[in-house]
């Protein structure tokens, strides 16, 4: 949420900042801005409401020949999206400029104190309070900028990733973070700062992740220095990022979302590579193997996650219960953290997060750690806060997910959970050899099956055209596919702004059936599984009330074809893996409905990828 970039080196900073902001626009696109220290030492700040395109137009004809600068793309928290609330913010005396991702929780108290000292504020943001606090401390306590940042942050409560520059200093950026991501790329005599390391990979693959409560002094011609808020020098670890620039481009697709949907046959291969032996079907996951005592001694497994990752976790719960016979619970991280959940040291808490930066999930992890539980991460982004803040974990390895609506991360998460349940179930002896072989063979078959599903994209696009008129949808599924129904409905809501609800098919008659009429389509997930007959009866109930049914069914199922109005055929998989197959046509249906409605699918209104605020 909010993208931040910075550059200091010998090149022109502005094009690098704008390029970085474009790559970070998925994190927020309410407003954008840059600040630079010009060669004569002047501080130039340019910012405006709207996307990076608007900023680029605004910059046209302005002097931008600086070699040091910071930039920001905003997802509004405090204050509406407008030019004044856009970042960078600068101190009332115009001496320092700052970009900020996060929320300063005690900003009201700090603001009143600064106002009492005569500081006049222009914006409604919490960020402007912080930049003025830094400047106030710098002038009243007579310290340099790095020290003023450190002292200010000791008075701040909240989450932040900030970068600060000052008039008259063309060499130095001060950066700091607490609970919001920040990476520093080390180039040849130059430094790049970003809230997402992938946005700077075209310049350098050598990345330093700034730790919580650390302040970095990023200075041209000098080695990077990092200090804790208590002024102790921190260790610097350089991580090599294994990403290519093509992972970050649309690769000929009109939208990242469509690219990412189509990547799934490959991302599943990447996810299972080296983990499922293609010859023997043997599953080896180091996160299970290396911590086997914690897993075997687990009293319970508790998944904590948000949004799509929460839906994947509902499937994870069923996988762990059925294959490992471990009691499993699924919690919204945002609810879990504000309850007083009962946790035991022999619980295993599994944090599931594509970005690895979701603030609520991070807070839930902290709670689990306090209780002494073993905390395991299922993340996509390498080196993310959750990946680094858990005891162990498994990456889903699906590559950067840039479309705001999560697609390939969902199928990767379910794939990882299936592998985990297999590896643990085998060790616990709760799976027969035949069950184990069936599921592991099922995993290996997924890429081809997904290719088959994607070959029907055009038919799904035609179906979407028919239903573009609908204002409400209901998605029904049972068992493993109840979470798939929730996920299908979420995809439609978030990118097409059409109201959609996912429901367990049999629950429909306890209320939502009253909604059924010819105007509200039902998407029914009816594969050949243990709930097939029952779900079919639920579909009949919808038809009997004049509802229109789009059925996602097993290839060649004549029974469903006779009952439903429209069908989407999918290959049959092992029951627990069927959600991976079924979710793909639901992603495509949502995508095409959004396209026919003229929505911006990669940047849906009000949303941003990676929710780093509470
Ligand atoms: C939906 C979506 C969100 C995320 C949620 C959690 O398409 O993307 O619901 O799933 O914000 O994000 P992560 O998985 O990054 O923790």
């Amino acid at each position: 949420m909010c993208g931040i970039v910075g550059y200091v080196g010998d090149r022109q900073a502005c094009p690098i900042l704008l390029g970085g902001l474009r790559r970070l626009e998925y994190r927020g696109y309410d407003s954008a801005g840059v600040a630079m220290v010009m060669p004569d030492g002047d501080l130039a700040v340019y910012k405006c409401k709207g996307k990076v395109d608007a900023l680029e137009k605004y910059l046209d004809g302005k002097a931008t020949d600086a070699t040091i600068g910071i930039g920001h793309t905003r997802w509004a928290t405090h204050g509406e999206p407008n030019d004044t609330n856009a970042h960078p913010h600068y101190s009332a005396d115009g001496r320092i400029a700052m970009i900020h991702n996060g929320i300063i929780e005690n900003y009201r108290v700090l603001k009143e104190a600064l106002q009492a000292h005569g500081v006049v504020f222009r914006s409604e943001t919490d960020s402007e309070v912080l930049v003025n606090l830094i400047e106030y401390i710098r002038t009243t306590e007579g310290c340099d900028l790095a020290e003023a940042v450190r002292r200010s942050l000791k008075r701040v409560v909240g989450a932040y990733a900030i970068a600060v520059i000052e008039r008259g200093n063309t060499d130095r950026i001060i950066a700091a973070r607490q609970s919001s991501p920040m990476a520093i790329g080390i180039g040849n005599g130059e430094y790049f700062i970003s809230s997402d390391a992938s946005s700077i990979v075209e310049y350098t693959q050598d990345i330093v992740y700034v730790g919580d409560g650390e302040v970095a002094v990023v200075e041209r011609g000098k080695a990077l220095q990092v200090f804790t808020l208590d002024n102790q020098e921190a260790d610097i670890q350089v991580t090599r990022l294994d990403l290519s620039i093509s992972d970050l481009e649309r690769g000929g697709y009109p939208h990242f979302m469509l690219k990412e949907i189509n990547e799934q046959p490959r991302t599943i291969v990447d996810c299972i590579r080296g983990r499922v032996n293609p010859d023997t079907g043997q599953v080896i996951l180091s996160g299970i193997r290396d911590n086997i005592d914690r897993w075997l001694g687990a009293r319970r497994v508790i998944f904590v996650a948000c949004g799509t990752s929460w839906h994947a976790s509902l499937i994870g719960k069923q996988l762990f219960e059925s294959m490992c016979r471990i009691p499993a619970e699924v919690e919204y991280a945002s609810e879990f953290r504000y309850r007083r959940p009962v946790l035991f040291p022999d619980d295993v808490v599994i944090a599931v997060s594509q970005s690895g930066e979701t603030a609520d999930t991070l807070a839930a992890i902290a709670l689990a750690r306090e209780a002494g539980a073993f905390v395991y991460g299922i993340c996509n982004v390498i080196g993310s806060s959750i990946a680094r803040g858990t005891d162990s974990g498994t990456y889903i390895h699906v590559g950067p997910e840039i479309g705001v609506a999560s697609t390939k991360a969902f199928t990767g998460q379910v794939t990882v959970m299936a592998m985990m349940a297999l590896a643990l179930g085998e060790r616990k002896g709760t799976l027969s050899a035949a069950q184990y072989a069936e599921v592991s063979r099922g995993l290996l078959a997924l890429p081809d099956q997904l290719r088959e599903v994607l070959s029907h994209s055009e038919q799904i696009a035609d179906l979407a055209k028919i239903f573009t008129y609908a204002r409400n949808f209901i998605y029904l599924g049972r068992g493993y596919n109840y979470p798939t129904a929730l996920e299908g409905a979420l995809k439609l809501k978030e990118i097409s702004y059409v109201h959609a609800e996912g429901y367990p098919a049999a629950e429909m008659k306890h209320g939502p059936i009253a909604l059924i009429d010819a105007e509200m389509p039902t998407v029914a997930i009816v594969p050949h599984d243990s709930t097939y007959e029952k779900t079919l009866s639920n579909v009949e109930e919808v038809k009997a009330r004049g509802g229109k049914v789009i059925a996602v069914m097993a290839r060649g199922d004549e029974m469903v074809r006779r009952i439903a109005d429209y069908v989407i055929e999918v290959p049959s998989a092992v029951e627990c893996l069927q959600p991976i197959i079924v979710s793909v046509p639901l992603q495509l249906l949502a995508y095409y409905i959004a396209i026919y409605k003229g929505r911006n699918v990669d940047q849906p209104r009000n949303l941003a990828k990676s929710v780093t605020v509470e």
Side-chain angles (χ1 to χ4, degrees):
M1 215 149 239
C2 294
I4 64 175
V5 288
Y7 174 76
V8 58
D10 294 331
R11 307 190 219 192
Q12 295 279 303
C14 197
I16 295 174
L17 298 176
L18 288 175
L21 290 181
R22 280 192 199 293
R23 294 213 186 284
L24 291 173
E25 227 175 357
Y26 70 90
R27 298 179 73 95
Y29 27 83
D30 291 333
S31 59
V34 291
M36 292 164 278
V37 187
M38 305 305 284
D40 63 2
D42 239 19
L43 190 59
V45 180
Y46 303 113
K47 54 185 186 163
C48 60
K49 180 180 170 177
K51 301 190 176 173
V52 180
D53 276 346
L55 175 66
E56 191 159 15
K57 276 203 197 95
Y58 179 63
L59 283 168
D60 197 26
K62 306 235 171 19
T64 59
D65 56 336
T67 54
I68 176 170
I70 53 179
H72 188 272
T73 175
R74 178 170 187 243
W75 185 84
T77 57
H78 294 66
E80 64 170 282
N82 60 27
D83 295 353
T84 315
N85 289 333
H87 293 225
H89 287 284
Y90 45 98
S91 52
D93 62 5
R95 215 191 138 81
I96 63 173
M98 185 193 83
I99 47 173
H100 169 219
N101 171 20
I103 291 182
I104 307 301
E105 286 169 17
N106 58 339
Y107 83 103
R108 282 194 191 83
V109 185
L110 296 171
K111 188 171 186 174
E112 279 165 19
L114 289 166
Q115 279 168 330
H117 286 101
V119 177
V120 177
F121 289 89
R122 305 175 188 90
S123 78
E124 303 149 78
T125 64
D126 52 338
S127 313
E128 195 191 0
V129 176
L130 179 54
V131 72
N132 276 294
L133 176 65
I134 295 169
E135 178 59 354
Y136 179 77
I137 289 178
R138 197 187 65 79
T139 49
T140 57
E141 299 183 14
C143 51
D144 82 343
L145 184 63
E147 182 59 14
V149 167
R150 190 184 71 76
R151 290 185 193 176
S152 304
L153 294 178
K154 287 194 74 120
R155 298 181 200 183
V156 154
V157 178
Y160 52 79
I162 59 168
V164 195
I165 52 175
E166 67 183 318
R167 194 166 70 207
N169 192 331
T170 52
D171 294 326
R172 194 171 61 161
I173 303 175
I174 307 299
R177 79 154 243 172
Q178 174 68 47
S179 309
S180 280
M182 169 166 289
I184 298 177
I186 302 181
N188 196 0
E190 56 190 352
Y191 289 108
F192 304 83
I193 295 174
S194 179
S195 44
D196 177 346
S198 67
S199 76
I200 47 181
V201 78
E202 66 192 280
Y203 302 110
T204 177
Q205 293 184 304
D206 292 330
I207 303 293
V208 173
Y209 293 101
V210 181
D212 266 346
E214 289 181 353
V215 179
V217 180
V218 184
E219 190 159 357
R220 185 200 315 267
K222 294 204 176 153
L224 181 68
Q225 283 186 298
V226 181
F227 299 92
T228 66
L229 288 185
D230 293 325
N231 218 8
Q232 300 299 310
E233 194 149 0
D235 281 346
I236 295 180
Q237 262 195 346
V238 181
T239 305
R240 185 102 185 136
L241 204 64
D242 186 17
L243 262 187
S244 88
I245 196 74
S246 63
D247 292 330
L248 308 170
E249 319 241 282
R250 284 202 299 268
Y253 287 95
H255 298 99
F256 279 110
M257 182 180 177
L258 190 59
K259 176 192 177 206
E260 288 159 8
I261 292 172
N262 277 281
E263 276 175 341
Q264 289 174 103
R266 181 182 61 73
T267 56
I268 296 296
V269 171
D270 291 344
C271 182
I272 62 180
R273 181 177 299 119
R275 294 164 168 174
V276 184
N277 183 317
D279 302 320
T280 61
Q282 181 75 19
V283 177
I284 295 177
L285 279 183
S286 56
I288 300 280
R289 183 196 57 203
D290 299 348
N291 304 285
I292 193 64
D293 292 343
R294 294 303 300 253
W295 286 105
L296 291 178
R299 174 196 294 243
R300 284 183 304 184
V301 164
I302 304 171
F303 290 89
V304 290
C306 302
T308 289
S309 300
W310 186 82
H311 295 155
S313 300
L314 292 175
I315 298 171
K317 167 186 162 75
Q318 298 186 44
L319 286 162
F320 273 76
E321 283 178 349
S322 82
M323 293 204 229
C324 313
R325 306 305 295 149
I326 296 183
E329 294 169 19
V330 183
E331 297 271 2
Y332 282 119
S334 53
E335 290 293 317
F336 181 76
R337 61 178 296 195
Y338 289 117
R339 289 207 322 265
R340 288 180 57 224
V342 179
L343 283 163
F344 302 100
D346 53 356
D347 282 333
V348 174
V349 172
I350 305 181
V352 186
S353 174
Q354 185 285 127
S355 62
E357 300 293 349
T358 299
D360 285 322
T361 311
L362 275 162
I365 288 174
L367 207 63
R369 279 192 165 284
E370 254 170 53
F374 177 63
V375 185
Y376 199 86
I378 300 179
C379 292
N380 187 33
V381 177
I382 315 273
S384 56
S385 302
I386 294 178
R388 288 180 298 129
T390 40
D391 295 310
S392 181
T394 303
Y395 282 118
I396 61 176
H397 285 315
V398 300
E401 190 181 67
I402 295 169
V404 166
S406 191
T407 52
K408 59 179 180 173
F410 175 78
T411 50
Q413 288 164 345
V414 177
T415 304
V416 161
M417 290 168 189
M419 290 190 287
M420 288 170 68
L422 274 178
L424 185 57
E426 186 195 28
R427 284 301 300 264
K428 287 194 74 174
T430 45
L431 265 177
S432 70
Q435 284 169 318
Y436 184 92
E438 189 191 20
V439 180
S440 72
R441 263 201 317 271
L443 284 166
L444 293 166
L446 283 172
D448 282 341
Q449 292 181 315
L450 291 176
R451 261 184 283 277
E452 182 185 331
V453 172
L454 289 166
S455 72
H456 299 306
S457 295
E458 248 175 64
Q459 183 220 336
I460 297 168
D462 290 345
L463 204 54
K465 200 178 253 170
I466 298 171
F467 285 98
T468 304
Y469 74 88
R471 296 166 63 91
N472 296 288
F473 270 80
I474 192 158
Y475 286 65
L476 300 179
R478 293 185 82 148
Y480 281 106
N481 282 309
Y482 159 51
T484 322
L486 293 176
E487 176 57 10
L490 176 62
K491 289 292 87 94
L492 187 65
K493 275 187 270 217
E494 63 182 331
I495 57 169
S496 70
Y497 321 147
V498 170
H499 171 244
E501 267 189 65
Y503 234 79
E507 275 294 303
M508 189 191 53
K509 54 186 170 298
H510 298 285
I513 198 162
L515 295 169
I516 301 289
D517 63 18
E519 301 297 308
M520 190 182 75
T522 297
V523 178
I525 305 169
V526 213
H528 269 305
D529 63 13
S530 57
T531 64
Y532 175 72
E533 302 286 348
K534 306 271 179 214
T535 315
L536 209 52
S537 307
N538 303 136
V539 173
E540 298 269 22
E541 288 155 15
V542 173
K543 285 304 302 168
R545 283 154 185 86
K548 288 256 178 308
V549 172
I550 304 165
V552 183
M553 62 167 208
R555 192 195 315 116
D557 186 332
E558 290 310 318
M559 174 83 91
V560 177
R561 190 187 294 280
R562 269 200 299 280
I563 300 170
D565 298 278
Y566 301 92
V567 299
I568 299 172
E569 292 185 83
V570 293
S572 291
V574 191
E575 184 159 345
C576 65
L577 301 180
Q578 195 72 51
I580 297 170
I581 310 270
V582 167
S583 59
V584 175
L586 301 187
Q587 295 164 355
L588 286 168
L589 187 66
Y591 172 81
Y592 284 113
I593 289 178
I595 293 295
Y596 290 129
K597 290 182 95 65
R599 310 299 192 213
N600 183 344
V601 293
D602 277 343
Q603 294 178 346
R605 71 181 178 206
N606 304 338
L607 290 175
K609 202 149 183 87
S610 184
V611 183
T612 54
V613 296
E614 295 170 12

